[in-house]
Amino acid sequence: MALEINFYYPDAETVQVSLNETTSLADLNDIVSAFAKAVNKDFTPITELLDSTHLGTGRQTEFMTYEVFNSYHSETELMRYIKKLERKDLALNHSMIALGSCTMKLNAAAEMLPLSNPQWGNIHPFVPVDQAQGYQEMLNKLELQLNEATGFAGTSLQPNSGAQGEFAGLMAIRAYHHSRGDHHRDICLIPSSAHGTNPASAVMLV
């Protein structure tokens, strides 16, 4: 903990470390020093990283040569281009659409700004809960606000997609019927125009 590093222990004999392009030389030395200290040994600090380009792994061909990659030089220009593409597709704000929740993620740029903030988005998914108290506080507050807005006794933020959300919804409906003793109510009507995950969710509940 003194080095502010978390190791993942999938079992008693295995240690896993997650590295990416943001990992620095200092980070690597901290990791090696932690292992050296654990076995009470000295270690020689890493002074440079191996340049892999001489191993023949570097790309030799040109990349991102398509015109679109070199035509838009500001966020506004890029957003207008994306909007132009969007208008070519069928959308909820222009017509009826047969699909459901997966097509309803109409996130505005203003909503994406806080999500792309590194102070929010850089947390590791396996971080210990006691190191993510700020996230827990925000998520718990959101659950309470959704409870108040909907009148529900509880809210789950776990479903991470439309398919998971509809499955969770069907589970809640089934639990409601079972709580009333209506165990015979096991038929779910799905229109032929429904998203493919709808009948799949219904079958999984049988």
Side-chain angles (χ1 to χ4, degrees), residues 79-144:
M79 291 290 286
R80 286 174 176 169
Y81 170 70
I82 294 175
K83 187 67 177 179
K84 179 181 177 182
L85 295 179
E86 176 195 321
R87 288 174 178 167
K88 295 181 178 181
D89 197 7
L90 188 64
L92 289 171
N93 55 335
H94 292 147
S95 67
M96 292 294 291
I97 186 168
L99 301 182
S101 56
C102 292
T103 62
M104 295 173 66
K105 299 180 179 68
L106 305 177
N107 296 323
E111 296 165 344
M112 298 305 295
L113 285 174
L115 293 179
S116 59
N117 187 319
Q119 292 181 315
W120 167 263
N122 276 356
I123 192 169
H124 195 279
F126 290 159
V127 68
V129 175
D130 61 355
Q131 296 179 27
Q133 292 301 310
Y135 289 83
Q136 292 294 313
E137 181 179 348
M138 284 189 289
L139 295 176
N140 290 336
K141 184 176 181 180
L142 176 59
E143 289 181 352
L144 293 175

Side-chain angles (χ1 to χ4, degrees), residues 3-79:
L3 296 174
E4 298 184 348
I5 297 175
N6 290 316
F7 294 122
Y8 178 55
Y9 305 93
D11 55 57
E13 299 180 353
T14 307
V15 180
Q16 292 184 358
V17 182
S18 177
L19 306 175
N20 59 26
E21 66 276 6
T22 66
T23 304
S24 67
L25 197 61
D27 295 330
L28 293 177
N29 279 312
D30 285 342
I31 293 172
V32 175
S33 68
F35 279 97
K37 186 176 181 180
V39 294
N40 196 26
K41 290 187 176 181
D42 296 328
F43 83 101
T44 302
I46 304 170
T47 57
E48 62 179 348
L49 298 178
L50 176 65
D51 184 358
S52 62
T53 56
H54 72 282
L55 299 177
T57 58
R59 183 168 183 164
Q60 303 299 321
T61 58
E62 295 183 353
F63 58 94
M64 297 182 71
T65 58
Y66 192 64
E67 181 181 0
V68 68
F69 295 123
N70 302 282
S71 301
Y72 308 101
H73 305 287
S74 70
E75 181 179 358
T76 301
E77 291 177 336
L78 182 60
M79 291 290 286

Side-chain angles (χ1 to χ4, degrees), residues 68 168 180 183:
V68 68
R180 296 164 54 89
H183 295 274

Side-chain angles (χ1 to χ4, degrees), residues 122-185:
N122 276 356
I123 192 169
H124 195 279
F126 290 159
V127 68
V129 175
D130 61 355
Q131 296 179 27
Q133 292 301 310
Y135 289 83
Q136 292 294 313
E137 181 179 348
M138 284 189 289
L139 295 176
N140 290 336
K141 184 176 181 180
L142 176 59
E143 289 181 352
L144 293 175
Q145 290 173 333
L146 291 173
N147 292 344
E148 183 177 353
T150 61
F152 291 153
T155 300
S156 172
L157 302 178
Q158 182 56 40
N160 296 317
S161 71
Q164 293 179 15
E166 71 188 31
F167 181 66
L170 285 173
M171 291 182 67
I173 293 171
R174 182 179 66 174
Y176 169 74
H177 287 315
H178 286 185
S179 71
R180 296 164 54 89
D182 296 332
H183 295 274
H184 63 286
R185 303 189 67 172

